[in-house]
Amino acid sequence: IVGGSFIPIESHPWVAAIFHKRYGFLCGGSLISPCWVLTAAHCFSDGENTKIPHLSVYLGKSAINDTDADKEQKFIVEKLIIHQNYNDSNYNSDIALVKIKSRNGGCAVRSSTVRTVCLPPLHTQLPAGFTCSIAGFGKESFELPRFSQYLKQADVKLLSNAECSSELQYGNRITENMFCAGSPDSSTDACKGDSGGPLVCEASGRMFLFGVVSWGEGCAWKNKPGVYTRVTNYNKWISAKTQLTEYTEG
Ligand code: 4AZ
């Protein structure tokens, strides 16, 4: 996250940290129900990362390299579902579901550091200019070599797809399954390592997961806002996959 501030996990307790046993921190995610984390498909597009036994998921974590056993919960991956329409060349449908399982076979347990986030109702639209919040362990600037050691949060404003599809911004690279968000002075943005993590917006006193950090040119660059997967286009996919898979394969 570029700009914004360091936060304890308690202020975004749905944030998940996905690790690869060999490569370390991989991506963010959001806990949408006790057994399911929503993240970005492109986190797993490198063939190696798709090897489920090499992945672990942490909830309740405020620092990448510190362990606070009282606050965090660790999981293995029971199932990884990459959206069937995910397109690795333009990042359309950049969305994936991770089914988590603890060593004793359970799922996430609600606490001050671990909580699910609400999914917005089908096709809910917020107006351009609406302020939302992004969170993650991604880089604090494009130039830095490392991820942030500690969890950060930043405010960003939603852009209309018309604005984000202007030639100055991303032209025809923005599909209807994406939306853009940034700050008018380009002081805040997601960056490498924030992928898969949440963009949440407050509506009627609750936080809803509207976006999954997906891509962007650089980080906090002028006229290059962050691009997010439009979660409200995937309500049916999410409910089908998270319910169906309890009983059948695929
Ligand atoms: C990345 O590489 C990445 N500025 C994520 C978000 C953005 C850029 C890059 C948005 O994971």
Side-chain angles (χ1 to χ4, degrees), residues 129-170:
F130 199 92
T131 300
C132 297
S133 169
I134 54 175
F137 295 98
K139 297 202 296 182
E140 292 194 68
S141 82
F142 183 72
E143 293 78 17
L144 284 170
R146 288 177 203 291
F147 297 138
S148 173
Q149 166 82 286
Y150 299 101
L151 183 64
K152 287 185 81 180
Q153 175 276 340
D155 287 348
V156 287
K157 284 185 193 299
L158 304 182
L159 303 183
S160 68
N161 276 31
E163 180 176 348
C164 202
S165 303
S166 67
E167 281 313 314
L168 196 59
Q169 297 195 5
Y170 292 117

Side-chain angles (χ1 to χ4, degrees), residues 42 189-195 213-220 225-227:
H42 85 257
D189 195 9
C191 199
K192 191 175 167 61
D194 291 318
S195 285
V213 177
S214 178
W215 64 278
E217 252 181 58
C219 304
V227 186

